[in-house]
Amino acid sequence: MNFSFLESIMRLRVIVTLAAFSLAALTGCGGQGGGTTASGSLRIMAPAAPGGGWDQTSRTAEQAFKSAAPDRKVEVFNVPGAGGTIGLAQLAGEKGNGNLLMTMGLVMVGAIEQNKSKVTLAETTPIAKLTEEYEIVVVPAASPHKTLADLVAAWKADPAKVSISGGSAGGTDHIVAGLMAKAAGVDPKQVNYIAHSGGGEALNELLGGKVTAGVSGVSEFAEHVRSGKLRALGVTSGERLPGLDAPTLKEGGLDVELANWRGFVAPAGLSEADRTALTDLVTKMHDAQPWKDAVAKNGWIDSFQTGQPFADFLNAEQTRVKGIIAEMGLVS
C-alpha cells in the first residue's frame, strides 16, 4: 500500500517535470535574446513608402534570403515617414529582438539631423553595409530643358520657379540638389525642393509634368530614361555609367560627385550570439545568386561591410553629413 502511494508520487513528479521542460522550450523559441535568430520569422522594415530605394532593397533582400535560407520565413513591411526616423523610433522599441532588420542608409543619416530626431543610430546595432548607388538628375520627356546647362540657366534666372522632386528632406536627393545649387552659384537655401517619403510619388510628379526636375537613385529612374519617358541630364558618378545614356554632372559644368549607400541595422541590446547569427545570415544573403543578379541588374555597387568596419563607417558618415547639411543651411 505504501509502495503504491510512493510510486504514484514519483510518477506525478516525472509528469510535472516533463511538462515544465516542454513549456520552457516553447516559450524560449518565441522570446527575445539568445537563439532567436536560429528560428522564427525574420522581419525586414523598409522605413519608407513602397516604390523607393529602401523598399526596393528590402524586397530584393527578401528574395535572396529565401534562396539562402529556404526554411526561414521572411517578411517585409513598410513604416513610412520623416526620412525613416519614424521607423527608427519603432526599431528602438524592439530592443533585444534578434529577428528584426531595418534597411537604412545615407538618407536616414541626413534625416536624423534635418528632423532633429530624438532617436539616433546610436540606438541600433550595425549589421552590414550592402550597396552604393549613384544619383541621377532627370526632367520629363516634354521638358524644354534639353541639357543640364539649360536647367542651370533657368535656375539662376528664378530659383523659385525650378521645382525639384525627390526623397525625404535632408536625404541624399536633397543633398544632391543643394550641392548642385551651390556649384551653379544658386543659394542652396533657395532650392524649391519637394520632398516625398517614397520614390513612387516623386516619379508620378515627373511623369505628370508637375515638377521641373527630379533627383533619385539611378535604379529608380533608369527604366523610364531608357523608355523615353524621362530625360537624363546628369549622374553623380565620376565617370559615365555603362548601359545608361547620361553625362556626369561634372561634364555638365557642376563639380558634384556623390554616392548613396544602403545597409542593415538591427535593434539595440542584442546578445552577442544574436548579433553574430544575424550577421552570418546577411552574409549568406549577400553571397546568394539572386542578390548578385539584382545588384548587377540595378546598377548597384557591391560595398559589403560588416562588424566594426561598418560601425566605424556609420560614425564617420554622421559627422560628414552633419557638416554638409549645416553648410547647406538645411538645419535651423
Side-chain angles (χ1 to χ4, degrees):
M1 190 73 173
N2 290 337
F3 178 78
S4 298
F5 176 75
L6 290 174
E7 186 178 41
S8 298
I9 292 296
M10 292 301 295
R11 287 178 178 175
L12 181 60
R13 285 180 176 175
V14 170
I15 291 171
V16 170
T17 301
L18 289 174
F21 179 81
S22 298
L23 180 60
L26 287 171
T27 55
C29 289
Q32 297 176 346
T36 59
T37 50
S39 62
S41 299
L42 175 67
R43 304 187 77 214
I44 304 173
M45 181 200 301
W54 286 339
D55 183 69
Q56 183 185 31
T57 299
S58 300
R59 297 185 188 282
T60 299
E62 177 185 18
Q63 297 307 312
F65 273 122
K66 289 178 179 178
S67 175
D71 295 333
R72 191 74 176 270
K73 183 179 179 182
V74 183
E75 174 195 3
V76 173
F77 65 104
N78 297 80
V79 182
T85 55
I86 292 178
L88 177 62
Q90 183 170 315
L91 187 83
E94 294 284 342
K95 189 174 181 180
N97 185 350
N99 286 324
L100 178 62
L101 288 170
M102 181 179 71
T103 304
M104 50 74 70
L106 178 57
V107 171
M108 184 173 289
V109 177
I112 288 170
E113 293 296 327
Q114 172 77 9
N115 298 322
K116 296 182 173 63
S117 174
K118 293 181 180 179
V119 181
T120 70
L121 292 173
E123 296 168 69
T124 69
T125 300
I127 297 297
K129 180 185 176 188
L130 297 173
T131 61
E132 291 182 351
E133 180 182 21
Y134 290 110
E135 297 271 291
I136 186 170
V137 180
V138 300
V139 293
S143 170
H145 307 305
K146 306 297 182 183
T147 65
L148 186 61
D150 294 339
L151 179 65
V152 169
W155 216 359
K156 286 184 174 181
D158 193 343
K161 285 188 176 180
V162 175
S163 54
I164 300 179
S165 184
S168 306
T172 313
D173 305 340
H174 197 175
I175 289 174
V176 168
L179 292 176
M180 287 174 59
K182 183 180 178 182
V186 175
D187 184 354
K189 297 178 183 178
Q190 291 187 312
V191 173
N192 181 10
Y193 185 78
I194 302 172
H196 300 284
S197 62
E201 297 172 349
L203 178 60
N204 289 337
E205 284 191 338
L206 281 162
L207 296 177
K210 297 178 180 179
V211 292
T212 308
V215 181
S216 191
V218 169
S219 64
E220 294 179 51
F221 286 163
E223 175 188 344
H224 301 285
V225 170
R226 296 187 184 105
S227 71
K229 294 179 181 179
L230 297 175
R231 181 185 306 123
L233 299 186
V235 290
T236 62
S237 54
E239 300 178 352
R240 291 198 177 203
L241 300 177
L244 187 66
D245 184 17
T248 66
L249 293 182
K250 288 186 176 182
E251 286 181 71
L254 299 183
D255 188 12
V256 175
E257 184 176 341
L258 184 74
N260 189 11
W261 58 266
R262 300 187 182 105
F264 282 141
V265 295
L270 294 191
S271 67
E272 185 62 24
D274 279 354
R275 186 192 63 77
T276 299
L278 265 182
T279 302
D280 290 347
L281 184 62
V282 171
T283 301
K284 288 181 181 179
M285 181 281 295
H286 165 264
D287 294 340
Q289 196 60 44
W291 178 259
K292 293 180 179 179
D293 293 343
V295 168
K297 178 183 177 181
N298 292 317
W300 295 339
I301 301 165
D302 187 350
S303 58
F304 193 65
Q305 190 179 52
T306 62
Q308 192 59 44
F310 179 47
D312 292 341
F313 171 80
L314 273 184
N315 289 330
E317 279 295 273
Q318 291 172 80
T319 300
R320 182 177 76 97
V321 171
K322 185 175 183 178
I324 292 175
I325 287 179
E327 186 179 2
M328 289 170 57
L330 295 180
V331 179
S332 58

